[in-house]
Amino acid sequence: MPRSGGKKPSFAGQYNRHLEEMRSLLRTLDPGLAAEDEGSLNAAMDIYETDQHLVLEFDLPGISPENISLVQRGMVCVIQADKLSDTPDEPVRYLCLERHFGRLRRTVRLPDLVDPGHIRAEYQCGVLRIICLKGQEHRILIKELTREQV
């Protein structure tokens, strides 16, 4: 069987492609969420799960915890942060300016497997970690009503 000359795509490349496809679908399904984040800086995000938790991690380097806000509305988490610029005391002429400053906002819809009443967050070394307890599936008993009970 002939082999192609191309390299096999890396896991990270495939993951990022799928993540961008999911973001695009979410923007299509709920344009309101995407519109809220337009014009804001964005934070890189990783999501992973353990047996009991879903964990979201956001890179927020150089932002102090008092400048970070995390709000939960139902199954949606909104992260807002202000990255303040370090303005030099004396006049300067930048030769290179690649760092971004200003308001950062990220809206994330949590999957249904998360228990919205059991979410906690921690911040360490520029990484915001949101830890969500997975909800338990409950079997609901169906009670048959007789005509007299109706």
Side-chain angles (χ1 to χ4, degrees), residues 60 62-70 79-85 102-104 123:
L60 302 174
I63 301 176
S64 60
E66 53 270 0
N67 290 331
I68 301 171
S69 165
L70 175 61
I79 298 101
Q80 268 190 189
D82 291 314
K83 187 170 183 182
L84 308 175
S85 69
R103 168 126 320 157
L104 176 144
Y123 184 73

Side-chain angles (χ1 to χ4, degrees), residues 31-96:
L33 289 179
E36 288 179 358
D37 292 341
E38 284 297 317
S40 298
L41 298 176
N42 211 346
M45 173 180 66
D46 291 336
I47 302 174
Y48 61 90
E49 66 178 340
T50 65
D51 289 338
Q52 296 182 3
H53 296 96
L54 181 81
V55 181
L56 297 86
E57 292 183 339
F58 298 88
D59 282 344
L60 302 174
I63 301 176
S64 60
E66 53 270 0
N67 290 331
I68 301 171
S69 165
L70 175 61
V71 176
Q72 176 193 353
R73 289 182 276 180
M75 296 303 282
V76 174
C77 281
V78 179
I79 298 101
Q80 268 190 189
D82 291 314
K83 187 170 183 182
L84 308 175
S85 69
D86 300 327
T87 309
D89 293 336
E90 57 187 83
V92 297
R93 182 175 57 96
Y94 284 100
L95 303 177
C96 177

Side-chain angles (χ1 to χ4, degrees), residues 21-38 73-78 105-110 112:
E21 287 174 11
M22 288 188 302
R23 285 182 183 146
S24 176
L25 286 171
L26 282 174
R27 284 190 294 268
T28 302
L29 294 172
D30 196 346
L33 289 179
E36 288 179 358
D37 292 341
E38 284 297 317
R73 289 182 276 180
M75 296 303 282
V76 174
C77 281
V78 179
R105 182 181 172 96
R106 183 81 188 249
T107 304
V108 180
R109 183 177 302 280
L110 300 173
D112 291 337

